[in-house]
């Protein structure tokens, strides 16, 4: 598996790079060798200096633990695959479809209340069930991701998303609210197979200089789905009294999303592969090389929670994303209170928030790939999120919708633009632990805070008005900004990517070059 000739050419003429293992095969034979977290190799290797290296604390898919099982593979070649953009775009699309189904009820909350004859709180739970389902299912799904790999998880997530969309078509009568709840719960389970994948797909398929951009594209789909979920339902489902006509308009929306979900499921079957033939980066090559199926799954979780920087990021990410979830769920209610009859514009304000956030996410991803300033960028974006939230709070009740559009857009640029930043910063802080696990824990935090904030802010709005409800969120965003300042920028993945043999001076002889990775490991013992 290891290429002994660093200068060997691939058949297409691309120079192959030195093996991740150099000439020290003993690293494969001794998975328990103690190593520093910044250079531990597999996504589950020790993230704590005092712990022993377990090259895979999670049971890895056979394709990663035994590279030959997925076909010929040479870990000495670092090369990106042409398929990588197709994979991330297909993922982004079915993530978009799932996110649309999350917000499609909340964006026309009052219309579904009247159609099904239920309370606003019951409709809010159609959004909050996404958050509630994620919490208990994270660990089982993260284990499945490590056990069976990206393709299986992608197929499962897109299949459940498709199934949930079709189930909702059986709820087109006012007395069938439980059926629409069932369809939404199925979609919420699909979300568990989706939210933790962006950073994993980026790491497995993309090179070191494009991984943050790829993660932003993957998250982009989810945000686009939320944007469409704010824009389309108010247009397709007008606020009319006739129940039969209303059911007809709702059925059009449900049929469209079911058809799109089915098409995307077929595309996942065709396009999605487990991993490329060659590792796309130095860090990923090392990750493959030291993979072991024998290490403990729970030990990875323990190591992650011993990582103080990551624990702080879990809290701060949850506060930010939770505030976004609460705002998205309650936006229709807040706008209607101040601007009665403006359901369509309420959806457009939500669209503005998310579109601005997608732009912020893409800019952040490109910026990170160029500068690698994870801590500084995250802190600035968090502070600007707080500023945007304060301005939005003060201008919501001024009576001018155009002002709300501007302030909401400015807030969204930073608030939703922060989401991929959190994913990528987490991977940097926890490398070489599993990207799926670190992303999953961030999302659990977001769901927990999302439920707490949605219920609390909803009650505050009902009893005291929108401004106290938004001030409630501002207080927690302030706490998040302060905690973000205490996170230390321990960029472990960047260290692994920089410490490559090709960075050695050209006059060094071949034996020194091939042994460079071993020296990198030994200096951190």
């Amino acid at each position: 598996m290891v290429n002994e000739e660093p200068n060997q050419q691939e058949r297409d003429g691309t120079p192959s790079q030195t093996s991740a293992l150099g000439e020290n095969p003993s690293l494969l034979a001794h998975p328990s060798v103690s190593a520093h977290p910044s250079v531990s190799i597999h996504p589950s290797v020790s993230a704590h200096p005092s712990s022993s290296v377990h090259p895979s604390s999670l049971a890895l898919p056979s394709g990663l633990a035994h590279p030959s099982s997925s076909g010929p593979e040479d870990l000495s070649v670092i090369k990106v695959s042409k398929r990588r953009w197709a994979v991330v775009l297909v993922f982004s699309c079915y993530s978009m479809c799932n996110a649309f189904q999350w917000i499609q009820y909340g964006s026309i909350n009052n219309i579904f209340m009247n159609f099904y004859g239920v309370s606003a709180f019951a409709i809010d739970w159609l959004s909050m069930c996404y958050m509630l389902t994620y919490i208990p299912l994270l660990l089982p799904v993260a284990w499945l991701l490590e056990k069976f790999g990206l393709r299986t998880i992608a197929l499962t997530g897109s299949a459940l998303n498709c199934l949930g969309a079709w189930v909702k078509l059986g709820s087109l009568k006012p007395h069938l609210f439980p059926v629409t709840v069932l369809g939404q719960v199925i979609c919420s389970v699909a979300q568990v197979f989706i939210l933790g994948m962006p950073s994993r797909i980026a790491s497995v398929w993309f090179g070191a200089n494009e991984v943050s951009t790829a993660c932003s594209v993957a998250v982009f789909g989810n945000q686009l789905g939320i944007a469409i979920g704010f824009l389309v339902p108010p247009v397709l489902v007008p606020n009319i009294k006739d129940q039969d006509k209303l059911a007809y308009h709702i059925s059009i929306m449900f049929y469209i999303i079911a058809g799109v979900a089915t098409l995307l499921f077929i595309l996942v079957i065709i396009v999605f592969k487990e991993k490329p033939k060659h590792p796309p980066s130095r860090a990923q090559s090392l990750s493959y090389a030291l993979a072991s199926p024998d290490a403990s799954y729970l030990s990875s979780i323990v190591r992650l929670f011993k990582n103080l920087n990551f624990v702080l990021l879990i809290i701060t990410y949850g506060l930010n994303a939770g505030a976004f979830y609460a705002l998205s769920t309650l936006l229709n209610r807040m706008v209607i209170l101040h601007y009665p009859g403006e359901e369509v514009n309420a959806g457009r304000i939500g669209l503005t928030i998310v579109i601005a956030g997608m732009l912020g996410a893409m800019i952040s991803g490109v910026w990170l790939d160029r500068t690698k300033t994870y801590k500084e960028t995250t802190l600035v974006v968090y502070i600007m999120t707080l500023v945007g939230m304060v301005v939005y709070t003060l201008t919501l009740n001024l009576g001018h919708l155009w002002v709300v559009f501007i302030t909401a857009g400015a807030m969204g640029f930073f608030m939703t633009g922060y989401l991929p930043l959190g994913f990528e910063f987490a991977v940097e802080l926890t490398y070489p632990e599993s990207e799926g696990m670190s992303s999953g824990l961030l999302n659990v935090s977001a769901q927990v805070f999302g439920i707490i904030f949605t219920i609390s802010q909803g009650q505050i709005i009902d009893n005291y008005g929108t401004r106290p409800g938004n001030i409630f969120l501002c207080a927690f965003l302030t706490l998040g900004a302060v905690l973000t300042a205490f996170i230390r920028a321990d960029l472990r993945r960047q260290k692994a990517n920089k410490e490559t043999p090709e960075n050695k001076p050209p006059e060094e002889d071949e034996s020194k070059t091939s042994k460079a990775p071993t020296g990198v490991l030994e200096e951190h013992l």
Side-chain angles (χ1 to χ4, degrees):
M1 297 295 294
V2 177
N3 189 346
E4 298 291 346
E5 301 178 33
N7 297 321
Q8 181 184 9
Q9 302 289 315
E10 271 195 276
R11 278 175 289 184
D12 63 1
T14 303
S16 63
Q17 297 182 14
T18 307
S19 165
L21 297 179
E23 295 178 352
N24 195 352
S26 62
L27 290 175
L28 285 174
H30 300 286
S32 62
V33 175
S34 177
H36 189 277
S38 66
V39 291
S40 300
I41 304 308
H42 188 264
S44 304
V45 181
S46 175
H48 193 274
S50 62
S51 59
S52 297
V53 171
H54 295 282
S56 175
S57 67
L58 310 176
L60 282 185
S62 58
L64 294 185
H66 307 286
S68 60
S69 64
S70 62
E73 186 177 70
D74 187 353
L75 296 182
S76 66
V77 177
I78 306 298
K79 181 181 178 183
V80 293
S81 168
K82 293 179 180 179
R83 182 184 286 260
R84 68 193 188 280
W85 290 110
V87 170
V88 78
L89 287 175
V90 169
F91 168 79
S92 188
C93 286
Y94 78 80
S95 176
M96 172 189 70
C97 181
N98 183 261
F100 175 91
Q101 297 193 76
W102 167 59
I103 203 62
Q104 68 181 138
Y105 295 98
S107 62
I108 47 174
N109 182 292
N110 57 321
I111 295 175
F112 276 109
M113 281 171 54
N114 296 331
F115 180 73
Y116 288 116
V118 296
S119 67
F121 190 63
I123 300 299
D124 288 344
W125 269 110
L126 290 175
S127 294
M128 287 191 290
C129 73
Y130 263 59
M131 309 174 203
L132 187 64
T133 305
Y134 192 91
I135 298 168
L137 293 182
L138 163 69
L139 295 182
V141 172
W143 180 82
L144 290 173
L145 175 60
E146 300 303 322
K147 181 69 174 177
F148 297 104
L150 282 175
R151 177 174 167 81
T152 300
I153 297 302
L155 287 171
T156 305
S158 57
L160 287 171
N161 184 62
C162 179
L163 176 62
W166 284 105
V167 168
K168 292 177 186 179
L169 281 164
S171 66
L172 296 174
K173 298 289 184 183
H175 66 282
L176 293 176
F177 183 69
V179 178
T180 211
V181 171
L182 174 62
Q184 189 74 341
V185 168
I186 293 173
C187 292
S188 73
V189 175
Q191 179 211 216
V192 188
F193 290 83
I194 295 172
L195 282 189
M197 288 181 66
S199 56
R200 181 62 171 268
I201 291 174
S203 294
V204 170
W205 282 90
F206 288 83
N209 291 326
E210 57 188 12
V211 66
S212 296
T213 301
C215 185
S216 296
V217 172
V219 175
F220 181 93
N222 191 271
Q223 301 306 307
L224 181 60
I226 298 172
I228 297 173
F230 277 118
L231 176 66
V232 172
V235 175
L236 293 180
V237 186
N239 190 3
I240 55 179
K241 300 297 182 183
D242 189 306
Q243 293 287 69
D244 291 335
K245 289 183 178 179
L246 189 56
Y248 170 74
H249 288 291
I250 292 173
S251 71
I252 291 176
M253 180 172 69
F254 284 174
Y255 271 115
I256 290 174
I257 198 64
V260 171
T262 303
L263 174 62
L264 291 171
F265 175 57
I266 295 171
L267 284 176
V268 170
I269 295 174
I270 296 171
V271 173
F272 227 93
K273 288 182 64 178
E274 174 60 31
K275 61 176 181 175
K277 180 179 179 182
H278 302 294
S281 68
R282 172 73 174 171
Q284 198 62 27
S285 177
L286 295 173
S287 175
Y288 290 164
L290 294 187
S292 167
D294 302 324
S296 167
Y297 173 66
L298 293 178
S299 64
S300 175
I301 301 174
V302 172
R303 287 193 299 273
L304 286 173
F305 278 104
K306 287 182 178 179
N307 186 333
L308 179 59
N309 294 312
F310 179 62
V311 171
L312 288 174
L313 183 62
I314 288 177
I315 297 171
T316 58
Y317 184 92
L319 292 171
N320 190 302
F324 170 69
Y325 291 160
L327 277 172
S328 300
T329 302
L330 302 173
L331 181 65
N332 175 268
R333 194 190 306 183
M334 287 191 284
V335 173
I336 295 302
L337 281 174
H338 294 291
Y339 307 93
E342 295 286 356
E343 290 89 358
V344 173
N345 275 322
R348 289 171 179 166
I349 291 171
L351 172 69
T352 303
I353 291 173
V354 180
I355 292 293
M358 289 190 294
L359 178 62
M362 293 302 299
I363 293 174
S364 297
V366 173
W367 174 259
L368 286 183
D369 278 332
R370 290 179 178 273
T371 66
K372 310 302 181 186
T373 54
Y374 289 86
K375 162 67 180 291
E376 296 82 354
T377 304
T378 301
L379 182 58
V380 169
V381 170
Y382 214 114
I383 292 172
M384 293 307 298
T385 297
L386 172 61
V387 172
M389 185 68 202
V390 170
V391 174
Y392 168 79
T393 299
L394 297 176
T395 57
L396 178 61
N397 61 351
L398 293 182
H400 302 290
L401 265 176
W402 65 270
V403 175
V404 180
F405 272 94
I406 293 173
T407 57
M411 175 187 66
F413 180 85
F414 297 103
M415 179 174 280
T416 56
Y418 170 83
L419 301 182
L421 283 179
F423 280 148
E424 281 299 287
F425 198 15
V427 174
E428 291 293 337
L429 293 175
T430 61
Y431 179 86
E433 302 291 344
S434 166
E435 299 93 339
M437 181 59 68
S438 60
S439 299
L441 291 174
L442 290 185
N443 284 320
V444 164
S445 177
Q447 314 306 326
V448 171
F449 282 112
I451 292 173
I452 294 171
F453 289 168
T454 302
I455 295 174
S456 302
Q457 189 183 19
Q459 293 299 311
I460 294 172
I461 290 172
D462 289 342
N463 294 308
Y464 303 103
T466 58
R467 178 167 290 186
N470 287 328
I471 291 174
F472 167 80
L473 293 184
C474 290
F476 283 99
L477 288 174
T478 302
L479 174 62
V482 172
L483 292 178
T484 299
F486 287 97
I487 300 176
R488 186 168 61 89
D490 182 16
L491 307 183
R492 301 176 178 183
R493 184 174 62 179
Q494 292 306 313
K495 294 175 184 176
N497 279 323
K498 288 178 181 178
E499 292 168 336
T500 60
E502 58 269 22
N503 289 338
K504 297 290 183 181
E507 64 269 21
E508 287 192 276
D509 62 43
E510 182 175 320
S511 62
K512 288 183 181 179
T513 303
S514 62
K515 290 184 179 181
T518 305
V520 170
L521 289 173
E522 288 174 349
E523 74 171 275
H524 292 286
L525 287 178

